[in-house]
Amino acid sequence: MNIIDKLIYFYSTDKIQEFNQTLNKENNKEIIIQLIKQFINDKNSSTARERTILYECNYQPLLSKLGYDGQNEEGFCEVKLSNCDTSKQKPEKLNGSGSYSDYTWDRYHKHLKENPTLLIGGFIDGKLIYIFKIKYDSPKLKTHFYNKLYNYFGDSHLPRKPNHYLRSLQFNYKSYIDDAELIYIASKTKLEYYKFYIVKDLYERLLSECK
């Protein structure tokens, strides 16, 4: 983990002491150089949040965006996240959502076979609020994916037209409520502070499992 990733991770997870210890005069030049290198050409604005989730869950980031997002001894993972920006006039509440772009039956069957871990995270103003962990082939989630694809393409054995994709296959907390493990929860104080920005059923689940 480089110094910028450390600072982002400590900031997002409210590890203030570790953040302050890392941020010091001796490190300033290194921090500025790495910050420029890491973000100057980065078109994916969610990279920093994605890496925070990966590090919290003990996965190493994978550089290629054509495959999976992270890997550890358990296998590959994909990160699905959302960030609520409270400065917006009508901020969208966290609802445990995630999505796949340009999805097809072929990708669905590939994911079923490889069965990656999904890490579903939510942030508010860049602060990590929760992470759910679930396998792709979990009963409710894979059924949700199947139904979305079937409604759009029809039967999986039908030939797909060229350049015909399900542009956004979306899901939310209700799509995996019975199967996912909640592996990170923000503090009770933070949850209560951000209550307005989290949908009710998700908020109640987080609060009930918060220590």
Side-chain angles (χ1 to χ4, degrees):
M1 191 186 309
N2 66 44
I3 195 167
I4 296 301
D5 286 343
K6 282 184 180 179
L7 288 171
I8 292 169
Y9 171 64
F10 293 149
Y11 173 83
S12 296
T13 54
D14 279 337
K15 293 180 170 61
I16 304 303
Q17 182 177 350
E18 292 88 340
F19 181 90
N20 290 334
Q21 289 173 349
T22 305
L23 188 63
N24 56 57
K25 291 182 179 179
E26 290 76 16
N27 286 335
N28 280 351
K29 184 177 180 180
E30 182 185 357
I31 290 170
I32 292 171
I33 291 173
Q34 288 195 24
L35 186 61
I36 292 172
K37 286 182 177 179
Q38 183 163 327
F39 294 105
I40 194 66
N41 292 316
D42 188 4
K43 296 179 181 179
N44 184 356
S45 62
S46 67
T47 296
R49 296 187 291 273
E50 177 182 294
R51 290 192 175 184
T52 292
I53 290 174
L54 290 171
Y55 291 136
E56 177 64 26
C57 300
N58 297 312
Y59 281 85
Q60 287 299 312
L62 295 177
L63 298 180
S64 172
K65 296 302 292 181
L66 298 176
Y68 294 114
D69 298 315
Q71 183 180 22
N72 66 11
E73 65 279 359
E74 296 178 0
F76 294 106
C77 76
E78 291 191 307
V79 175
K80 302 298 178 184
L81 61 86
S82 53
N83 180 55
C84 173
D85 182 353
T86 64
S87 67
K88 292 183 177 180
Q89 186 174 2
K90 293 183 178 180
E92 189 171 341
K93 294 184 178 183
L94 292 184
N95 65 352
S97 65
S99 67
Y100 282 96
S101 299
D102 297 337
Y103 215 64
T104 63
W105 278 120
D106 288 342
R107 290 184 65 192
Y108 171 77
H109 291 304
K110 177 179 182 290
H111 283 141
L112 277 182
K113 181 179 179 180
E114 297 178 353
N115 196 23
T117 296
L118 270 62
L119 302 173
I120 305 165
F123 293 77
I124 299 179
D125 294 335
K127 293 288 189 178
L128 183 58
I129 304 300
Y130 61 79
I131 302 174
F132 286 97
K133 180 179 180 181
I134 187 171
K135 298 299 289 186
Y136 184 92
D137 71 351
S138 298
K140 193 167 185 176
L141 188 61
K142 71 177 181 181
T143 299
H144 173 79
F145 293 153
Y146 179 92
N147 289 338
K148 289 287 186 179
L149 288 165
Y150 186 86
N151 290 338
Y152 188 77
F153 291 111
D155 192 273
S156 63
H157 296 96
L158 295 175
R160 180 171 60 89
K161 298 177 183 178
N163 300 315
H164 190 208
Y165 304 95
L166 177 54
R167 293 302 179 187
S168 181
L169 194 166
Q170 300 181 345
F171 61 91
N172 59 35
Y173 175 59
K174 293 180 180 179
S175 310
Y176 55 83
I177 184 172
D178 300 321
D179 304 319
E181 177 186 4
L182 184 55
I183 60 175
Y184 178 92
I185 319 172
S187 68
K188 183 178 180 180
T189 300
K190 187 183 293 184
L191 288 177
E192 292 175 340
Y193 180 79
Y194 285 125
K195 178 180 180 179
F196 179 76
Y197 302 103
I198 308 171
V199 296
K200 184 179 179 181
D201 55 348
L202 176 56
Y203 175 78
E204 290 175 348
R205 166 80 181 271
L206 297 176
L207 199 62
S208 70
E209 297 193 30
C210 183
K211 297 181 180 179

